[in-house]
């Protein structure tokens, strides 16, 4: 792709605004984690809202950036769209993973960087899959409903079957939670890469 073509593609997908949203989410997550840690009687489980909501917000921004304003033209253009779509998702996900992991330093065995990385990958996977199935603009809804539900329903003790159905609420080293998140990311990214975002007519 030529440089002008790449610039046009990035602008049409609101790529710069999405990058800014991810940066703002990471900065907010870092401030929130620091504030929580400064409170008396701090317990690492107090960072659960940061580890759950930070990835959700970043994934929502990434999902809405997948909207194609000229979907009909895109689908008829003789271009390698699956590779371009995958690169779009992977680039923004890599940025979100790095920044959000840095937002919660220390204590990786609890709700630190590894949990943030896992949740970001899983949240992006669910969101981009939703973009392919229901459209980019409402793609944030399924993950938002899921996070809200498990935040209330997840047991306080990690592990067990909750590592699978409440993976976003698990501390860093839970293997089951990682398996679900990585599966969601791989499946969601592949689905979006080959199908693209579902057109939503207004």
């Amino acid at each position: 792709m030529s440089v002008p073509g790449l610039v046009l593609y990035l602008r049409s997908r609101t790529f710069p605004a999405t990058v800014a949203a991810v940066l703002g989410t990471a900065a907010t997550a870092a401030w929130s984690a620091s504030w929580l840690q400064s409170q008396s009687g701090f317990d690492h489980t107090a960072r659960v809202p940061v580890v759950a909501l930070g990835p959700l917000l970043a994934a929502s921004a990434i999902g809405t950036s997948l909207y194609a304003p000229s979907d009909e033209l895109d689908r008829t253009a003789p271009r390698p769209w699956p590779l371009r779509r995958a690169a779009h998702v992977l680039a923004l996900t890599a940025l979100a993973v790095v920044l959000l992991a840095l937002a919660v330093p220390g204590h990786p065995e609890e709700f630190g960087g590894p949990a943030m990385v896992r949740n970001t990958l899983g949240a992006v996977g669910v969101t981009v899959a939703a973009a392919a199935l229901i459209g980019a603009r409402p793609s944030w809804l399924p993950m938002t409903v899921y996070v809200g539900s498990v935040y209330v329903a997840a047991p306080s003790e990690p592990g067990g079957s909750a590592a699978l159905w409440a993976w976003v609420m698990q501390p860093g080293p839970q293997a089951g939670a990682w398996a679900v998140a990585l599966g969601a990311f791989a499946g969601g990214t592949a689905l979006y890469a080959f199908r693209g975002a579902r057109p939503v007519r207004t």
Side-chain angles (χ1 to χ4, degrees):
M1 181 189 293
S2 65
V3 173
L6 177 61
V7 172
L8 180 61
Y9 173 85
L10 295 177
R11 289 181 62 185
S12 71
R13 267 46 175 201
T14 64
F15 201 90
T18 305
V19 170
V22 172
L23 289 170
T25 297
T28 303
W31 178 86
S32 300
S34 177
W35 180 82
L36 287 169
Q37 193 162 0
S38 70
Q39 302 305 298
S40 59
F42 171 81
D43 182 88
H44 298 298
T45 58
R47 291 199 296 194
V48 168
V50 177
V51 174
L53 295 179
L56 172 63
L57 294 175
S60 298
I62 293 171
T64 54
S65 79
L66 305 180
Y67 172 72
S70 56
D71 181 77
E72 294 84 358
L73 294 176
D74 288 351
R75 291 178 185 276
T76 58
R79 294 170 181 167
W81 285 109
L83 291 177
R84 189 171 300 179
R85 293 179 188 130
H88 181 147
V89 172
L90 292 174
L92 288 173
T93 303
L95 176 67
V97 161
V98 170
L99 293 178
L100 288 173
L102 293 174
V104 284
H107 305 285
E109 73 284 358
E110 297 293 341
F111 293 96
M116 190 70 98
V117 170
R118 180 201 64 217
N119 287 356
T120 302
L121 292 173
V124 170
V126 172
T127 302
V128 299
L133 297 174
I134 65 174
R137 285 179 170 170
S139 63
W140 56 274
L141 280 169
M143 192 63 194
T144 301
V145 171
Y146 167 74
V147 170
S149 300
V150 299
Y151 192 85
V152 174
S156 57
E157 291 296 323
S161 63
L164 302 178
W165 64 266
W167 52 270
V168 76
M169 302 297 294
Q170 300 296 304
Q174 292 294 324
W178 273 97
V180 174
L182 291 174
F185 179 70
T189 302
L191 180 64
Y192 169 72
F194 286 100
R195 292 190 55 174
R198 180 180 178 178
V200 178
R201 307 303 175 199
T202 56

